[in-house]
Structure formats: structure tokens, C-alpha cells
Amino acid sequence: MTRPPTTLHQDATHESALGHVTGHARYVDDLPHPPGLLHGVIVRSPVARGTLLGVDVEDAVRLPGVVRVLTASDVPGDNHVGPIVHDEPVLADGELWWNGQPVALVLGTTREAARRGAEAVSVRHEPLTPVLTMEEAERRDQWLITPHVIRRGDVDAALASAHLVIQGEVHTPGQDHFYLETHASLAVPGEAGTMDLASSTQHPTEIQRMVAHVLGIPDAAVTCRVPRMGGGFGGKESQATTPACLAALGAWLTQRPVKVWLERGEDMRITGKRHPFRGRYRAGFDAEGRLLGFDAEVVADGGATVDLTGPIVDRALFHLDNAYVLPACRLVGKAVRTNLPSNTAFRGFGGPQGVAVIEDAMERAAFQLGLDPVEIRRRNYYADTAGRDITPYGQQVRDVRIERMTETLLATSDLAAWRAEVAAFNATSAHTKRGIGFVPVKFGISFTNSLLNQAGALLLVYADGSVQLNHGGTEMGQGLHTKMIAVCAEVLGVRPSDVRVMATSTEKVPNTSATAASSGSDLNGQAVREACEAVKARMVPVACELLGAERVRFAGGRCVDADRPDHAVAFSKVASDCWVRQISLSSTGFYRTPGIAYDRPGGQGTPFFYYAYGAALAEVEVSAWTGEYRIRRADLLHDVGDSLVPSIDRGQVEGAFVQGVGWLTTEDVLYGPDGACVTRGPSTYKIPAVGDVPADLRVNLERSPQAGTIGGSKAVGEPPFLLGFSVVHALRAAVAAFGTREPELALPATPEAVLFAIDRQRA
Amino acid sequence: MAVSFTVDGQVVRVEGLHPTTTLLRWLRESGRVGTKEGCAEGDCGACTVVVAHDGRWRAVNSCLIPLPSLHGRAVLTVEGLARGDRAHPVQEAMVEALGSQCGYCTPGFVMTLFEGAHRTDLDQPWKLDDQLCGNLCRCTGYRPIRDALQQVAGTCPDDGLAAPATDEDALREDGEGGAWFAPTRVSEATAWLAEHPEARVIAGATDLGLDITQKHARFASLLSVDRLAELRGIEVAAGMATIGAATTLVELEDWSAEGLPVLHRMLRFFGARQIKHRATIGGNLCNASPIGDLAPVVLALGGAMELVSASGARTVSADDFFVAYRRTALQPGELLARVRLPIPPAATKLGAYKVSRRRELDISAVSAAFQVRVAEDAVTEARLAYGGMAATPIRARAAEALLVGRPWTEETVRAAADSLRESFQPLTDHRASAEYRHRVARNLLLGFFAETREQPFIALPDRPTATVQEVG
């Protein structure tokens, strides 16, 4: 029944689908408990800011089942971790920085015992006044990173000459990752001062490095394995480190296995979210709606520590142009430190927050100039023509697809007829109105820290012809393993069912980058191909000899004489003959993305290997009684290149779109006056449910090959997230239909925000 | 304490059990890790299993079920569907539709699909959504899962997994962790309550379960009413519906579709299938939350509560039942036995509304139910009840007074609606601001008026199947 990938560029089901639906797929918390397992429960800071005076553990250790309570002084190595700057204490030391910060770890023989122990630990502290808003942090000059500035031309002159200058301020909200599987790590002490971990992480190498750092041992003494994740979305890129380090610390000190698994409420209180951003801009347009100048500053709320805030602000800056040429611009990115959980990577990684700013300008300009919102955008698109193909940071944009894709979307959606239907409805409906919104997307692909664009693979062919494939990427549901099987099966010409992808492990592929930045299949796919080609090259002479052939093809589980297609020998026979002839059947593969580099101080360079494009139209219906709304229809067209596995990419496009809609509509991260996250479960934090999906969802893929990538494919994880803006633009259009003035709609556009916007419109 | 029940066809006996151990905890600790924990608050559905009840498998949240509730009953989990190497048709449908990405929510969806495959009444697109809305997925965007359900709904596959008959015997255990009594007769229940006035009454545990999983609460004694057949079912006679307090919301929904449509309307966006299989009308009312969605309907209909105790019975009108924030007129030793709802005459104007951030499986910002009767061009009776506007579910008496005796016109209704702002001092919390609640409370009454004038209020669009196309 399962359709594994047959060959590249064909539909396939997820390689683990049967395991998912039968419950046999194992996640970290499902692994069998090793003998002597202890459970670790985190004691959290009760205040957002304070001085830590001491941790009283006596009451806890007296409780039955409590084995030990760990605090910062128990750390043998360096207590400070972090993906870029080591500024985050594993356990609080001296100061308390956010409400929910780990202060101690209670180890118990059962989770219940450890939890009761944690309740009995007293965190002695002196509270200080926390900084909970971006504005207050700015007043206090609490800057988290060096500002990033990108300039082109004379923006002030451009604005002075403009027919229309729009001044705006855009607040984009935070977002909880709400992966269905919360953070989990299992640490098992090994022989002779070693530590083995299983972790739900997008970045096993970082876990390995940080655990070694905290324990004060070499990286080689630590292994980290990732069976699979129940969702990541960026939330397990840097922030799996704390639970993993805590589990490892407990295991190191007790020499017993330790599991740290977070309940949903703990996960949401301890971990950071998508960065809220505030963007302020001045945008100058000519009378035809062409952008002349764009002066924008974005400020991110980084929370308590640096984490990945720097590159997130960078990516926001790189996406302030979205798909539009900015003839003159000044783009500034900053971040502040607040006493909130440290915000972190989340699908889009600052890109959506940047795009939000210029899309606000486009929406307002279209309204104020009386232009069609689609048309004004098209007038500003990048194009493969001189003068329209250079980004503000100096990168040449090649193979620009956005105009072509917009034309396709307008045709397949029959936008003119669609708009007529909406107008007819609105003409006769007083209390509910409909609106159509449009958004184009251009998204840069590559880690903007260029050195991270490297990947490795390790292929093992056994003498019976079966194959184990290892690569540095992690599987979090995005179908990376399915694609890697397709690449491997294509090169070796074997059945996909003969290829087994192994759990990602630092003992198979070293020094990996996070599975992030949509880069998983781009980078690992090339490394897998190279490993497969290397082994295949050694098998070819043996196959030629067995067949008496000059040239052979590997296909269908056989090696075929290229000149006499009826002459063939089984792949397994060639493999066993290689073994007999003492020929290696294993190889690594390695890839680094060529030709990219960025000079951050100078604000110039080529940070991206290429761009992925998308375009979306959405229709909503809103109620003026309650502000409630429904998404009636959405038409998505997304650029996936010559997709490795189109069915997987469709799943990414649809899922990312819905997640983007959730960010902009019903999801609202809220903190109390004490800095504690109050939306800490699905009862209070509302990700989209089945009824929030468009009733009529039409998804198309743009599949022209991309030059220089694995199989001509394009990265797909993040870019379609931004298609969710079409729904916000549709809501604005529907709100606008209640009156004549320019709509003002706050984000997230909850029913409350929509009702208030309608009431302003009707006032 | 010790209980025995059937899991995936195998009889198990669990000894030394704490009464607040949930089914999910026990499943995972006994090695049945296919069933996942996503939230432990009944809001994500990752832990969904099915429990046999009245001859059918019912999807429920295993995270909220105290294990003693299952004594004598049968549970089927995601690990019990496949036959050897052959996946169940609903599992095959999920695979083929690419309904799983990360796979963590998938076991729960599979069990919701399993129930759906054996339901023959999923004949409307919105009913498919209703079946699925208790399960959250963060990866797929739901379209493929909805396709999978559409494919299997009502197919009643011959899977050899018929729901077995269950044993509804009483269970009485006094263990280290507290007492659990699940009697089969009301007289036993009231006698026990008289001896244990501190006991918490538990039905489906969809709210008490949160105290267990989120606040880690423990209880000295729990009285489970889920085996009291006398408290289940609905009788209609002489214009009065008498509803047993332990009647589940699914049973109420099935009956009210024709029996009392205004109630059905409220139940449409009330919890999820998994919750409604366990939650009861009595639980929702005795909980007395200001945002319990049945209370406004019961208030608007002029309902009454039949309370029983070891010393007798009494009836309290709904108006007198909700006395303070999460407090009712129930005295120690008393049990809510039945709810009486007068069925309004045909010409009565009735409305029920729930407004929340998310349409499905969300807690109300504001809910409301209205009953207005008009005779000879004047309103003769008006009952306007709100949730979310005060510490208790509450009637808007000042607004009612502005309607009675006046004509049912926009002018009158507007005056009544405008008066609501003076009557209520709602909270600002994470669900809504006080200002939003004020505006919605007013608008719901105006919208109700519009509806009685046959203007559409808010459309609930049908949901055509999504399509996936490719461009050349």
C-alpha cells in the first residue's frame, strides 16, 4: 500500500508513514527506558528578573524517590551555552533573567517523584523590576546585537521627490512553535567518561558540542542521535540544548541514565518563540505606484539571551524588499534584550517579519493611490533586466519567476470573475463582507552565515545489496529522509525499499549544520549524491567485468549493459562481488554551497545561492457582529523547482501556509505582568484547527528546474509560510468594504482586532 | 486500588493504582507508547483512543480519563487496529493522503478517523470538520487529513473490531490514594455522599481531569456518576424535556438536532467529539464556570435543576442555581439528578451564539442564548442570558425589562442592547478584552434580532474538498 519514492521527481508517501499511522514510529520519549533511569524535572525562576540568593533543596531531597537536586554549582565545565554567544546559563547563576528560566534540576526515580521534588525546592531571590516591553528596553539602551545597516542611493532625496510618502509602523507578533512533540532528551552515561544522548533536536552537532562544553570533555566523548522529531519549526534548532545539557549533567553526576521531557506547559513557559518585531518605515512612491525610496528600521525583541537573534534580524533585513526593487533605501536592523524567554528560530527566521513591513506599505499605497493591489506590486517586481535585478545588499537576482507566476495565478484563479463575485456579494450584504487579498513572495535560500552551508553523508552498502544511508539532516516531518532515499535510489538504481535511512547521529556524520533555513535537502541531497556516486564508481568496473560490458547503467535494482539492455546483473550480485574482491562499499559525501559570501559590516554581498518564489490569493468573509471570519478560498502557487518529491513539497506548501495564517490571525503569545507566559497550552494558545483551513484550497506548484541544485529542486520549508499574508490582506479588503477609509488592522488579526477595525471603518 | 479492563482485545488488571492515574499515563508506562501526549488538557487530541460505549466505539482523550472509569470497559488504541502486517483501512487512507508529516499527532487522528469510519451520519462537510476538530496538527494544514476522513467516513470497514458489550458494574475502592465509588443506583450515590460530604462528583472528568494533569491535584474521595443509568437519557413529556445529569453532550447533540434546535446550535461549536463523548450536561452546569456554554441556554429556556440527596429531593430554578463564581446552589451531600428544559412553543424566537478566538474547540469570549416571545405586537417574555460577561452565567434583566411590553422592533432591541454595557463589568483576559466583550454582547442581541427578521447572521459555509493541481 505504501508508495515509497520510485524515482526522483515522482510523488511518494512519507517514508515513515506506516510507522506514524500504526503508532510504531518511535520518538525520544517512546524509547525503552534503560535500567536505572532517572527523570529530571526543571525548577523554574518564579520572577522575570531578580537576584538569585540561593536554592534550598533540603525539603526536596527528603522526599521519597528524589535522588538529587542539581544547581549551577554542580556544572563541571562551563555553565554557559548558546548557539553563537555563550551567554545562556544552563542553570541560573547569580541572576534571574526570565520567568521560567531553569534554576535547578530535580532527579527522581519517577517523573512524579521528581515533580514533587521540584515543587519542594525553594528559589530564594530578590525580585528586580523586569523589562517586559521593547520600548522599555530601548529606553534603557538594552541592545542585544550590533545594528545591521544596508544602504543604497540617497533615500532622503528619493523620498523628497516622491508623489506619495507613506509613514507606517508595523507590529508583528510572536508565535509559539507548538510542535506536537515537546522537548525531550535521554542521556545515557557511557564507559570511560563518555555520554550518549538521544534528543529531539534539529541540531545534533550543537547538542554534542554544548554537552561536551558543559561537562568539560571533548566533543568526541559525546554522541547525539535523533530518531525523529514530532515537529520542530525552528524551536528545536538552538533550544533543544537546555534539556539535553540538563539530562547529560544529571547522567554525568549520577552515572545513571536521565530523561528530561517537558510537559506542554513547561515547554511553553521555558522556551522562546518567534521574535516579535516592530518595523517603522517611510516609503516613497511615484504616481504610478513605483517605489522610489524605502527607509525602514526593524527592531526585534530578542528576549533574555542572544540565541539566534543576530541572523534572524539579518534575514529580516534581507527580506524588507520582498519581491520589489528598492531604487534607494536605508534598512536598519536592531534587537533589544528583555526579561522574556529568549526568542529563537521559527520557520522564516525573520523573513516574514521583514516582508510584513513592505507589504504594509504596498497595501497602503494601493489604497491611497487607488491602484489594484496586484498591479502596484507587479510594477515593482524584480526582473531579469538590468536595473531591476540587484538587491539592496548587492546580490544579483537571477531567473526571476515572480511576474510569470503572478500571470499564471491570475489566470488559473480567474481573478476578474472572482472579484466580481465578491463585489456582488458585498453589494447586498450589510453585516458580512468579503475581501480578496494577494501576496507575492521572494525568499532567499542559504544560511546567511555562509560557512554553515555545508553537509555530509555516509553511505554503507552491504554485501547483500541492501543500503544504509546516513546524512547530517534531521527528520522532523518535512520529508527530508523521503527525499534523500529518492536521491540515493536514483543514483544507485536500487529500489527505495532497499535503502534504510538511519537515525541522524553525530557518530556517522560530524560537524553538521542545523536542519534549518529550508536547506535540508539542498545541502544533504548533494552530499548524499556524492557519497552514492563514489561507491557507484567503484562498483561500475566490477559490473562491467561481470557483464563483459563497456558501459553500465544502474536501474531497477540491476546493473544493465548500456549497449545491450537485455544483459543485466543484480545490484546485490555486484555488491557481493565487490566484497569478494576486497573493494570498499562505503563512502562519505560532502558538499559546500559555492559562490556565497556576505560582508555584514559593509552590508553587501551574495548571501543567497538562489531565491524561491510564491504567490497567493485568498478570500475571507468577515462578520461585523463579532469580527469572526472564515477563509473561503485560497489559491497558492509556489516555486519548488524540479521538485525531488512533489507530493512532499505540496505538503510543505499547504502546511506552511496554514501555519503562516495562524501566526497572523488566531495565535497570540501573551505574558502576564510578572513576565510569565500565560498562553501555555492549546486551551489558551490557538493554532489553526481543521475549520480554519480554507474551504476551497487550490495548490499549484511551479516546477521549472533551478540551476545548480540537487535535481534542479528548490528549498521549500520556509518560503510558503509567507503566503499567509494573503489572508491578512483579504481581511483588510473585507474590513475596507464596510466603509470608505483606509483600514487599520492590528496583528494578529483576531476576531477582536477585526471587529475593532470594522467599527473604526463604520464610525 | 485495582481495576480491570480490555486494551486492544487483551484483558488487563491493574493493581496498586492511584485513582487519578490517567489512561494515557498508564498506556505509556505499560509500554503502549504509540499513543502520544501532546498537551494533557484535552485540547490537542494526540492521545485519542476509542472506548466502547452503548455498542459503539467512541473517540475520547485518554489524557483526561481516570483509569478507574474504565473498569469493566474496553479500549482500543492505535496499536490495536492493524491485523498483523495489514494496516487498517483508516491507516491506509492516512498514508495515501499524506496525512502524516511529523507523525506525532497521527495516532490520535487515526483513532478519530476510525470512529468516523464507523459513523454513518457524516454526510455534510461541516460534520467531517466536527469529527476532526478535536485533533490538532501543526504540519499538514489538515487538507490531506480531511481528504482521508472523507474517503473512509461511513464505510464501516469489516475490520473485526466490533465494540464489545461492557460491564457496568459498580466499583468501590478505598485505596492509599483516596476513595473511588462508582455506584449503579442513585440511592447508593446519595447515601455515600452523605457519609463523604467532601467528595468530588466526577462524570466525564473533562474538567476535573485538568486539575489532575495541570494542577496535579489529588482527591480524598471521588464519586463517579458514569454508571448511574437512572441519570442518563432524555424524556420529553408535556412540553418539558427532562435530561439526566449524566447524559453526555454527544447524546444531547444527537437528540437536540430535532428535539431542541437552539440547544443543538450551541453544541455545534462546543468542545470536540472527544470531549463531548465524555462531558455531561450535569458536569457542564455544576462546574458553574461563567463560560460554560450550556448555562446560557438553560437560563434562556427557563430550565430547572432537580437535586437529590439522602434526605430527599428539591428543584431549583436555573436562575437560582448559579450563585457565585464557580459556585452553585448544591449543598453538601446533594447531587444534580436531572435538568428540566421547557420546550418553547413553535413561534418563540430563539437564538444561541458562541464567540471565541478560534471557531472550533475554543473557550468562549462571550456566549449568549435568547428567548423572546411576542404576542399582539408586543414582547411578552424575554430571557437574555450571557456567558463570559460576569462571574456567573447571567441574565440581562435590565435589557429584558426594556423589551417586555414593547414591540419587537429594531428600535426597541437597540435600546435593550445599548443598556447591556451598564449591566455588565466583564474582565479583560487572554481570551478577550472587556471592550470586545461589551461590543459583542450588544451585537449578539442585535444580530439575533436580524436573524429573527430572516437576515443571515453569520454563514457557516459548506466546505468543498480542497484540490491539488499542477502547472505544466
Side-chain angles (χ1 to χ4, degrees), chain A residues 1 30 626 650 687 693 695, chain B residues 28 36 358 436 463-464 470:
Chain A
M1 50 161 260
D30 301 336
T626 62
R650 258 179 240 133
I687 70 166
V693 178
Chain B
R28 293 190 57 81
K36 309 300 182 198
R358 189 174 69 193
Y436 180 68
R463 313 189 66 89
E470 279 179 38

Side-chain angles (χ1 to χ4, degrees), chain A residues 168-400:
Chain A
E169 183 165 314
V170 183
H171 293 259
T172 50
Q175 183 178 28
D176 191 271
H177 303 83
F178 211 88
Y179 27 64
L180 263 289
E181 179 212 24
T182 53
H183 279 287
S185 271
L186 173 66
V188 182
E191 291 178 24
T194 60
M195 187 61 63
D196 296 324
L197 288 110
S199 170
S200 183
T201 178
Q202 294 171 238
H203 200 346
T205 289
E206 182 150 303
I207 299 298
Q208 177 191 29
R209 287 180 183 153
M210 288 300 117
V211 165
H213 179 77
V214 166
L215 299 184
I217 58 178
D219 289 359
V222 180
T223 64
C224 179
R225 187 167 58 89
V226 182
R228 61 166 56 71
M229 277 168 277
F233 316 114
K236 295 170 179 173
E237 181 174 348
S238 65
Q239 300 213 344
T241 300
T242 295
C245 286
L246 288 173
L249 183 64
W252 184 258
L253 294 171
T254 61
Q255 286 299 302
R256 289 171 71 171
V258 171
K259 178 155 79 177
V260 173
W261 166 85
L262 303 185
E263 289 178 10
R264 177 63 60 186
E266 296 177 299
D267 190 294
M268 293 184 80
R269 266 183 270 199
I270 293 170
T271 67
K273 327 289 178 199
R274 178 185 295 282
H275 287 65
F277 269 65
R278 187 202 62 215
R280 286 183 178 144
Y281 69 87
R282 290 185 299 152
F285 293 84
D286 70 14
E288 282 72 51
R290 275 181 288 269
L291 265 165
L292 302 174
F294 192 56
D295 183 16
E297 181 198 74
V298 294
V299 183
D301 182 349
T305 70
V306 173
D307 195 271
L308 294 163
T309 297
I312 286 165
V313 170
D314 294 348
R315 187 168 282 272
L317 243 57
F318 293 138
H319 289 81
L320 277 170
D321 59 348
N322 193 12
Y324 315 119
V325 179
L326 304 182
C329 62
R330 177 166 52 218
L331 312 175
V332 180
K334 300 175 177 175
V336 291
R337 183 192 300 276
T338 56
N339 294 108
L340 294 171
S342 188
N343 290 317
T344 190
F346 196 141
R347 202 176 204 167
F349 204 73
Q353 293 97 315
V355 164
V357 178
I358 198 156
E359 286 304 320
D360 188 74
M362 285 295 170
E363 284 288 290
R364 290 179 188 281
F367 185 89
Q368 293 183 26
L369 293 169
L371 289 172
D372 173 351
V374 179
E375 187 52 34
I376 189 174
R377 288 175 166 92
R378 290 173 79 177
R379 290 179 187 174
N380 287 288
Y381 280 166
Y382 284 104
D384 290 314
T385 52
R388 302 202 66 79
D389 64 343
I390 305 293
T391 66
Y393 44 91
Q395 172 155 4
Q396 185 181 4
V397 185
R398 294 189 174 87
D399 187 10
V400 181

Side-chain angles (χ1 to χ4, degrees), chain B residues 166-341:
Chain B
T166 54
D167 167 8
E168 303 274 322
D169 282 355
L171 176 67
R172 182 171 199 153
E173 292 275 348
D174 291 292
E176 207 180 301
W180 178 283
F181 184 38
T184 53
R185 283 201 290 271
V186 172
S187 57
E188 295 169 334
T190 50
W192 196 81
L193 264 187
E195 289 164 26
H196 298 82
E198 80 294 349
R200 288 290 295 268
V201 177
I202 180 170
T206 53
D207 196 59
L208 198 76
L210 297 178
D211 288 344
I212 295 169
T213 64
Q214 304 300 310
K215 298 178 188 157
H216 307 287
R218 299 201 162 189
F219 305 95
S221 32
L222 289 166
L223 175 73
S224 172
V225 297
D226 71 339
R227 282 149 210 256
L228 295 172
E230 297 163 71
L231 296 195
R232 303 237 342 242
I234 300 150
E235 284 173 21
V236 182
M240 178 73 74
T242 304
I243 302 165
T247 303
T248 69
L249 300 188
V250 163
E251 290 161 344
L252 207 56
E253 195 176 12
D254 289 347
W255 165 74
S256 63
E258 300 207 337
L260 192 53
V262 67
L263 178 60
H264 189 260
R265 184 162 170 174
M266 187 61 96
L267 286 166
R268 264 280 272 115
F269 296 123
F270 191 124
R273 187 80 181 165
Q274 291 95 319
I275 296 291
K276 287 191 273 197
H277 273 317
R278 295 277 304 165
T280 62
I281 182 172
N284 192 254
L285 295 173
C286 291
N287 175 299
S289 163
I291 42 177
D293 291 329
L294 286 182
V297 181
V298 173
L299 285 167
L301 290 173
M305 321 298 184
E306 282 183 38
L307 313 182
V308 293
S309 67
S311 55
R314 64 181 180 126
T315 300
V316 175
S317 86
D319 289 335
D320 299 327
F321 188 69
F322 305 104
V323 297
Y325 177 70
R326 299 198 76 155
R327 267 192 49 217
T328 68
L330 279 165
Q331 296 300 308
E334 271 188 326
L335 189 66
L336 174 62
R338 276 165 285 274
V339 179
R340 288 196 217 143
L341 295 179

Side-chain angles (χ1 to χ4, degrees), chain A residues 346-569:
Chain A
F346 196 141
R347 202 176 204 167
F349 204 73
Q353 293 97 315
V355 164
V357 178
I358 198 156
E359 286 304 320
D360 188 74
M362 285 295 170
E363 284 288 290
R364 290 179 188 281
F367 185 89
Q368 293 183 26
L369 293 169
L371 289 172
D372 173 351
V374 179
E375 187 52 34
I376 189 174
R377 288 175 166 92
R378 290 173 79 177
R379 290 179 187 174
N380 287 288
Y381 280 166
Y382 284 104
D384 290 314
T385 52
R388 302 202 66 79
D389 64 343
I390 305 293
T391 66
Y393 44 91
Q395 172 155 4
Q396 185 181 4
V397 185
R398 294 189 174 87
D399 187 10
V400 181
R401 301 175 172 199
I402 190 61
E403 171 58 25
R404 189 172 84 221
M405 288 174 62
T406 302
E407 284 167 17
T408 304
L409 183 66
L410 295 184
T412 57
S413 66
D414 197 357
L415 180 60
W418 189 0
R419 281 178 166 163
E421 275 172 39
V422 165
F425 176 86
N426 286 348
T428 58
S429 174
H431 298 292
T432 62
K433 299 283 185 190
R434 295 177 182 168
I436 295 176
F438 170 71
V439 76
V441 170
K442 162 181 140 288
F443 196 86
I445 301 301
S446 289
F447 285 100
T448 56
N449 179 355
S450 301
L451 78 86
L452 298 177
N453 295 288
Q454 56 173 305
L458 172 64
L459 180 76
L460 310 172
V461 176
Y462 292 88
D464 68 348
S466 64
V467 176
Q468 280 186 0
L469 177 62
N470 300 274
H471 62 89
T474 54
E475 176 63 40
M476 61 194 102
Q478 81 279 42
L480 175 60
H481 285 353
T482 311
K483 289 181 174 179
M484 296 304 96
I485 289 173
V487 170
C488 176
E490 168 88 0
V491 177
L492 296 181
V494 297
R495 291 185 304 261
S497 56
D498 289 331
V499 180
R500 178 180 175 206
V501 182
M502 306 305 290
T504 314
S505 172
T506 58
E507 60 185 336
K508 297 293 178 57
V509 180
N511 309 317
T512 54
S513 293
T515 307
S518 308
S519 70
S521 49
D522 275 14
L523 300 178
N524 293 291
Q526 299 277 22
V528 165
R529 173 187 286 275
E530 187 181 284
C532 294
E533 293 286 4
V535 171
K536 182 178 171 181
R538 293 185 213 130
M539 294 177 76
V540 164
V542 178
C544 284
E545 191 181 321
L546 284 172
L547 287 166
E550 298 282 317
R551 301 176 299 143
V552 289
R553 285 188 301 110
F554 284 40
R558 303 184 312 160
C559 303
V560 184
D561 185 333
D563 301 308
R564 296 175 299 167
D566 53 331
H567 282 55
V569 59

